[in-house]
Amino acid sequence: MKPHGAATELRKISGFTQQQPSDGKPATQPTDVYIGYDATRLYVVWVCWDSKPHAVRAHLSRREAVTPPDDDYIELNVDTFHDQRHGFLFDVNPVGTQADALWTEGSGADYSFDTVWESRARLTTKGFIIRMAIPFRSLRFHPSNGAPWGVTFMRYIAHNDEVDYWPYVSSRISGVLNQEGTISGLQDISPSHNMQFIPYASFRNFRAVDTRDPSQPRFNQIDARGKAGLDSKFVFHDSLVLDTTINPDFAQVESDEPQNTINQRFEVFFPEKRPFFLENANFFGDTNIGVYRLSQLLFTRRIADPTFGARLTGKQGPWNLGFFFADDRSPGLVVPDFSPLARKRAYFAVGRVSHDFGEQNSIGLIYTDREFAGFFNRVGGIDANFRLNKNWTSWFRTVVSSTTSPPHESGSTPAQPGSTSFSSPGYQFGRNTEAVLNNIGRRFSYELMFQDITANFHTDAGFVPRTDIRNASQYFHFYWRPEGRHLVFFGPEANTINLWDHNGVAVQQVYNFDWVFDFKPNLIMAPIVGYETDTLRPNDFSGLPDNHKYVQHLVGFVLKGSPLSKLTFNTKVIRDGTVLIDVPTGQFPITGDETAITQTMSLKPTRHLQIDNTYILDRVLNGAVHHAAFNNHIIRSKWNYQFTPALSLRFITQYNGLLANPARSSLTTTRNLNFDFLITYLPHPGTAVYVGYNSNLENLVPGLCEQLPGSTACIPNGPALVRSNSFINDGRQFFVKISYLFRR
């Protein structure tokens, strides 16, 4: 635990200060950091003392899985441009699991960023030691002699739920990089030339149900299909990055986390998982701000099957640049072969430029364009971010959209009554304005969000689930902080949402209140009460004669934490009302009595094994007769065994069971059982071997015919898939993917 040899020549940093739980007090466990550099690398050695070394939490897991409160870890945040806006994060836990991210002030960490660097870790009888070597070519900066960099060093101590910083980063001030320290004296360093090439090859064998022609569902069987492509990266002017891809394999390796999609009036959001689209996404302005989900003008899951793509991102002085272009074959592949849109592809172009000024202020322009078969959707506008003082920040964006109908459609869709949008033959115009006012403090936090989205606003490249709204939402909390032996803090939290359409109709009101308690170690409890209303209009539900208001009351609780080193859990139980829209034909929506349970539990019985379990229940009763309309169960278990930092085996099984009452709902009973196996060898980002198998069972009638290559004969089952009481295997896939990083 003491330096020797070359380490004695490194600069020592000590004297860490708590940010959590006792802001401003000395760290309960000492941490010493030694930092130095040579012509090619930045070196950091962490000596983390602990008076309870047996309590240190450390598990060998997949890369990027370094998150509190599961493990202790350390974090280096380097602001190479010294602009207090952007940083490079490097995390390591006590057994050497790495994570890296791009930090954007006000939005947090983007862990989709991956780069090559080295780390070694070792547990000792007095704590643990971590060594980091970060090549300068893995960073972006302007080469100069002695230019200062911003830096923060952070250590998380899991058994105390404690966050320590050097320099002191107070929770009484909003932000991290605006409280950073400075390192100087870095002479004769450069990111140098940086070119990366990642060729890949993949092979798959699959069988799945083809439903492009609903009247003739059939099995589509491909015995063997190979694919190859190339990803490349070029860094020039030291801080601009050009990423290109040819014939990419954009099938995501990581599966989506389960969500309830039953009885949903609006599209459910599933986050992007594919690395090419995730990296540097913060340059395009769609970042999380506060507690509310804002509109996304670029939602890359709309690009399902591209053949090429290019992205330019980076920073030049005060200018931040992001440009993106790709095609997408999927619109022409999901329609039957006889469709006039068959085999046509869409094209996406996105650009954003922003300018930094003052202390963490910026103003920018954004533009998105999707073109398909003579149809286009274009969105453009401005955004701005202002820091008002040490606690208050604000964000603003206003954009307009212009949309044309596909060539096989005629005329235009008129604007809804009261909308400020207007349309002309073949064109629709809409507007989307959003603003956020945010206060972050030690005890008191407040957020106000405003949205004004007209009925004809549309974005094919983004994610805006609801239009024709004016939304004023507020959140606040106030915590008392006794920071005692057992109770860390407690206090009220409140959330209000008020939505009106452009006719002034209150289409939704939500008022939720809870009282949160934070106990040592790592345990949070909060009872919840609430009141909600929804108003459906004739244009929301066909046949509804006039506006109808539905009133619901809510009670529930949340219990989550990691009181033991081998256990992390999150329980949420809500009992409320909901609008049941999946009603039998000829009936109008009613108020249903809903019970919603979400339970996650992560077990780590050994240092190498992690078991993540999820259970989701959504049960809705017909409020008038108190009979079940449906019960929806989702059960998922994911097992990951990490043999080494590079080699892992993952197994997922998931059951989706929708039990529908045809007398009380329009839903159909469906059952789905999925098995997913994956072996991963990932020595470093870019170089990887994946071997996977997926099998899907569903309650379908087994009479579907086989669609073999070169054959079109099929005896249809009817107008749609026919359900049965037993399972058949309606989808299976075996795949192998190999990629290798060449870097110079």
Side-chain angles (χ1 to χ4, degrees), residues 398-709:
T398 183
V399 294
V400 295
S401 69
S402 174
T403 307
T404 60
S405 301
H408 62 279
E409 298 178 0
S410 60
S412 61
T413 302
Q416 296 183 15
S419 169
T420 55
S421 305
F422 61 92
S423 61
S424 57
Y427 290 87
Q428 295 181 34
F429 298 90
R431 185 189 71 250
N432 182 339
T433 299
E434 298 174 295
V436 176
L437 179 65
N438 202 318
N439 172 83
I440 298 178
R442 173 72 172 163
R443 292 187 173 183
F444 175 72
S445 290
Y446 173 80
E447 180 172 325
L448 171 65
M449 182 191 73
F450 175 76
Q451 291 178 306
D452 184 355
I453 307 176
T454 63
N456 279 351
F457 180 80
H458 184 66
T459 169
D460 275 340
F463 183 87
V464 180
R466 187 167 189 171
T467 60
D468 190 20
I469 59 170
R470 289 191 172 107
N471 177 8
S473 299
Q474 299 180 81
Y475 165 84
F476 92 92
H477 72 239
F478 183 87
Y479 298 150
W480 287 274
R481 293 183 170 272
E483 296 175 5
R485 183 176 179 181
H486 300 292
L487 182 60
V488 179
F489 67 80
F490 67 98
E493 299 179 336
N495 175 44
T496 69
I497 301 174
N498 289 277
L499 270 67
W500 299 269
D501 67 11
H502 287 82
N503 283 324
V505 177
V507 293
Q508 186 179 44
Q509 296 173 307
V510 178
Y511 303 96
N512 291 338
F513 176 85
D514 67 82
W515 199 282
V516 63
F517 300 87
D518 184 3
F519 297 96
K520 291 183 178 180
N522 297 304
L523 187 63
I524 292 177
M525 179 179 67
I528 307 169
V529 295
Y531 170 84
E532 302 177 3
T533 70
D534 280 283
T535 298
L536 293 188
R537 303 157 298 177
N539 58 309
D540 295 321
F541 192 90
S542 178
L544 199 66
D546 51 26
N547 295 344
H548 188 86
K549 184 176 181 179
Y550 303 82
V551 178
Q552 306 105 29
H553 296 86
L554 177 152
V555 294
F557 70 90
V558 171
L559 181 65
K560 63 181 180 179
S562 183
L564 304 174
S565 63
K566 300 182 184 300
L567 171 66
T568 301
F569 68 91
N570 189 338
T571 303
K572 183 177 182 180
V573 179
I574 299 294
R575 180 71 174 84
D576 66 348
T578 188
V579 180
L580 179 60
I581 59 173
D582 293 318
V583 292
T585 303
Q587 298 184 20
F588 295 142
I590 63 170
T591 297
D593 298 323
E594 181 179 39
T595 300
I597 299 175
T598 302
Q599 172 70 66
T600 63
M601 180 177 295
S602 178
L603 302 173
K604 297 184 177 181
T606 72
R607 183 158 287 172
H608 295 261
L609 177 63
Q610 179 168 335
I611 306 170
D612 298 318
N613 301 297
T614 302
Y615 174 64
I616 298 175
L617 167 68
D618 187 31
R619 173 181 171 84
V620 175
L621 301 180
N622 184 307
V625 296
H626 298 285
H627 287 173
F630 67 85
N631 292 329
N632 187 37
H633 301 267
I634 303 176
I635 305 171
R636 171 186 166 106
S637 185
K638 180 170 78 170
W639 297 55
N640 190 87
Y641 192 88
Q642 202 76 27
F643 298 94
T644 69
L647 180 63
S648 66
L649 170 64
R650 188 202 70 191
F651 168 70
I652 299 175
T653 181
Q654 180 168 318
Y655 172 77
N656 291 41
L658 172 61
L659 307 179
N661 182 348
R664 305 300 174 192
S665 76
S666 61
L667 300 169
T668 301
T669 294
T670 60
R671 298 182 181 90
N672 181 281
L673 183 61
N674 186 269
F675 301 96
D676 187 342
F677 299 85
L678 180 67
I679 298 174
T680 301
Y681 177 68
L682 180 67
H684 56 74
T687 297
V689 178
Y690 300 101
V691 180
Y693 175 77
N694 182 276
S695 180
N696 194 76
L697 306 176
E698 199 164 354
N699 65 324
L700 297 176
V701 170
L704 296 174
C705 66
E706 297 285 346
Q707 178 64 55
L708 300 175

Side-chain angles (χ1 to χ4, degrees), residues 359-420:
E359 295 186 4
Q360 296 184 306
N361 305 316
S362 66
I363 187 167
L365 300 173
I366 187 168
Y367 175 79
T368 70
D369 182 16
R370 180 185 184 269
E371 308 272 343
F372 175 60
F375 157 83
F376 68 75
N377 171 246
R378 298 164 184 167
V379 179
I382 63 172
D383 61 79
N385 192 24
F386 299 100
R387 185 176 188 87
L388 306 179
N389 59 30
K390 69 177 185 178
N391 296 108
W392 290 88
T393 59
S394 63
W395 177 87
F396 170 82
R397 179 173 66 193
T398 183
V399 294
V400 295
S401 69
S402 174
T403 307
T404 60
S405 301
H408 62 279
E409 298 178 0
S410 60
S412 61
T413 302
Q416 296 183 15
S419 169
T420 55

Side-chain angles (χ1 to χ4, degrees), residues 10-13 33-37 42-45 153 183:
L10 303 179
R11 181 63 58 88
K12 180 181 179 180
I13 296 171
V33 177
Y34 299 84
I35 183 169
Y37 75 102
L42 177 70
Y43 299 95
V44 185
V45 181
F153 301 91
I183 57 176

